[in-house]
Amino acid sequence: MKNIVLLGATGSIGDSCLNVIRQNKKHFHLFGIGLGGNLDKAQQITQEFNPKHIFVAQPHVDKSHDLLQSYPNILSTEDELQALIQDPSVDIVISAISGFAGLKASYFAIDAGKTILIANKESIVAAGDILMPLAQAKNSEIIPVDSEHNAIHQCFPPHSDLKEISKIMITASGGPFREKTFKELSEVTLQDALKHPTWSMGTKITIDSATLVNKCLELIEAHYLFQIPESQIEVVVHPQSIIHSMVTYIDGSTIAQMSNPNMEVPIANALGLDHRLPIHFEAINFSELNLSFEPIADGREIIFEMAREVCNKRGNLGVIFNASNEIAVDAFTTQKIDFVDIYKVIQRTFDHFACSNVSTLEDIFEYDKQARIQAEKVIKSLH
Ligand code: NAD
Ligand code: MG
């Protein structure tokens, strides 16, 4: 029986994780959960899974809520979150908080030498230079949950010889605007951007998929997780989202991982560690399958150039890229800027900073703060 702490339990990844755990109750116990402020949903989870500990980032949203009555010792401070993650009885930490807000949890888990299932790609993008060496020093195993990275993980098992890899191919659905020219993007609305063709996900990652910034974050995530130069990582648009990524070896073999688009598949793989866990899934109907591939749509290459620069220069560039995007997405979802302005905010913020090394988590938080201030200035300058 493995004890799990699921952070981001009330989100989209949280839901999928609970579905996998529900189907494999013999093997897993939900020891603790963490969430932002959705107390109703947290209460449903506690009724079914009875976790010992609950971390709520905004516990005072509704002091009279039933959950706060039935769990009088709700955790809410960063020290309490750290103590929960570092509890010796915890075997697996799932990092599925959305955005930069998930970084501290990822850091605590890696620092404690835990096995961490990472969905929160923003942690790796912003702080890869800190987290990856820390994982090695603390013997923490990082298992990717993001479907593309989990696919690569399956096609290129840990401890394989990096020298045997010729290329990694990350697939992208292309998002809702795959067929639009860059010019046509000036007309799109928030509702259009929220309609993802193949995946159902949280708001932030859905917008990131529409801009293709999600694929940029994934390129950087792959670079850090698999220690592969960006020159060996390609991105290809694959609208059906059946092949989740591929690895080509130096002998010419390409291995692909396939499933219908459902996050429970990579989560089951990650949670299974070295074993295959049974889950209910919709099998691929191969006789009706048509797979197609195409390049990234015109006009959007510029953000990939920035992402590749992040991989090559590292340091503070990942946290700046990530922070500028978070501010831009927030401004777009609150209808302060247009869809195409997201690109302007990222690029102008990114260009404002020189590349610099980072050596501590505090450095990352400082650059995150500065980049957010700068991105807000760019937003003001747009009007
Ligand atoms: P979501 O918005 O549906 O859920 C986010 C969760 O984080 C919620 O439980 C929320 O309460 C919690 N949260 C937010 N702020 C918090 C804070 N400050 N402290 C504690 N908890 C907080 O997001 P999601 O779609 O589930 O995505 C979660 C992460 O997984 C993101 O990093 C995303 O990029 C990544 N991811 C998601 C998918 C997907 O299919 N949804 C796929 C791949 C990767
Ligand atoms: Mg993904």
Side-chain angles (χ1 to χ4, degrees), residues 7-16 34-38 55-58 81 95-99 101-102 118-122 145-148 199-206 208 214 217-218 263:
L7 302 165
T10 54
S12 162
I13 290 286
D15 274 343
S16 299
L35 54 131
N38 188 343
F55 169 77
V56 185
Q58 304 131 20
L81 174 64
S95 172
I97 292 172
S98 176
I118 193 116
N120 179 258
K121 63 192 87 185
E122 295 90 345
V145 162
D146 210 345
S147 56
E148 297 74 6
W199 295 99
S200 155
M201 310 179 283
T203 305
K204 194 246 169 194
I205 184 173
T206 302
D208 287 349
N214 182 48
L217 298 174
E218 292 185 352
M263 284 309 294

Side-chain angles (χ1 to χ4, degrees), residues 17 20 43 50 68 85 92 103 161 169 231 247 268 271 280 309 313 338 350:
C17 289
V20 174
Q43 191 176 19
N50 196 23
L68 305 184
I85 290 173
I92 296 173
L103 173 57
D161 190 349
M169 223 117 34
S231 55
V247 176
L271 268 178
H280 298 294
E309 191 178 338
K313 297 188 179 157
D338 293 332
F350 192 74

Side-chain angles (χ1 to χ4, degrees), residues 105-117:
S106 300
Y107 178 85
F108 291 150
I110 293 171
D111 193 40
K114 300 286 182 189
T115 295
I116 170 171
L117 270 49

Side-chain angles (χ1 to χ4, degrees), residues 277-289:
L277 292 177
I279 59 165
H280 298 294
F281 63 92
E282 190 197 337
I284 298 170
N285 184 347
F286 282 92
S287 56
E288 283 181 10
L289 199 57

